Each structure stands twice: as C-alpha cells, then as structure tokens.
Amino acid sequence: MSMLPLGLGVFTENLLPKLKYDLMKIYFRVQFELLAEYDWGFENYYINAQRFEQDARRILNKGLEEGGDYNNAIDGLHLRCNIIFHNKDAKFLATELARLGKAPSFLNPSDSQAVMQGFLGMYWE
C-alpha cells in the first residue's frame, strides 16, 4: 500500500508556509496513527515523503518510543506492518510491484485537477 502524497503541498499553494508545514505533519501523524490503531492487512506500507522524509522519520520515531502515539500497550497501539520510505514515483512503484506478482494500481491526483480546470484526460496513462 502506498498513500497518495496528500498534504505534501501539491494543492496548498494558497496556504501560508507555516500552515503548509503543519498540514504536512498532520498528514504523516494521521497515517501512522491509522496504522497503529488497526490492522489493515498490509505487510508493507510505502511512503514517498518527498522533501519531508526527515520530518516524517522524526514523527514516526517519536511515536514509536515506549508509550508513544504509535507504541502504547495500554491503549493497544502498535504498528502492524513495515513502513518503507522511498523516493520513487507511483508509476515506478506500481511497475516494480507488478513485476513481483502483486496487483498494484495508482491514481494520478493531477487528473482531478485537470477535470477542475477543464482539461479532461490531461495525464492519462
């Protein structure tokens, strides 16, 4: 499973830099919280954090400390899959996973942007 790069700035040009940074931190926290609260059946969870990889790792590591947001036995929180940071695009990742016999797919979020701007099919693959 690889999440869309929501919260990484693509559609946030109207926000102040501080708000963009806060949004990025929330994006990573929410992903890690969801992975710690419930077993979604993922063996590996791929994240392309782009220029925020160091921040994402810092958020993850802090939450994995004993009693942290993603490692709290009292609340039943623990990561239920591997988290793999990568720096490849979604098309590359889908192709490589297909070569391994997986059934991947990816959504190009620019398609929704294209529809909003009247350019239907702008980035069809």
Side-chain angles (χ1 to χ4, degrees), residues 8 10 69 71 93:
L8 296 182
V10 176
D69 291 337
N71 184 20
L93 187 60

Side-chain angles (χ1 to χ4, degrees), residues 31-51:
Q31 286 184 85
F32 301 144
E33 286 174 12
L34 288 170
L35 293 170
E37 290 177 359
Y38 184 77
D39 185 351
W40 299 92
F42 305 139
E43 184 175 325
N44 298 306
Y45 186 85
Y46 297 86
I47 296 178
N48 182 344
Q50 300 177 15
R51 65 187 181 275

Side-chain angles (χ1 to χ4, degrees), residues 57-99:
R57 287 181 183 275
R58 190 171 20 258
I59 291 167
L60 177 60
N61 289 334
K62 184 175 183 342
L64 288 176
E65 293 173 359
E66 186 68 35
D69 291 337
Y70 326 125
N71 184 20
N72 189 322
I74 295 171
D75 294 334
L77 299 174
H78 64 278
L79 289 180
R80 290 152 168 89
C81 63
N82 300 311
I83 294 181
I84 301 171
F85 289 97
H86 68 92
N87 61 0
K88 303 295 184 185
D89 64 36
K91 188 174 183 179
F92 175 88
L93 187 60
T95 301
E96 291 302 308
L97 290 171
R99 287 183 179 148

Side-chain angles (χ1 to χ4, degrees), residues 8-35:
L8 296 182
V10 176
F11 298 109
T12 60
E13 293 306 313
N14 60 330
L15 297 179
L16 297 172
K18 167 83 169 87
L19 292 176
K20 285 184 186 182
Y21 187 70
D22 290 345
L23 179 62
M24 175 274 304
K25 291 188 295 187
I26 291 168
Y27 164 72
F28 290 118
R29 268 195 235 113
V30 167
Q31 286 184 85
F32 301 144
E33 286 174 12
L34 288 170
L35 293 170

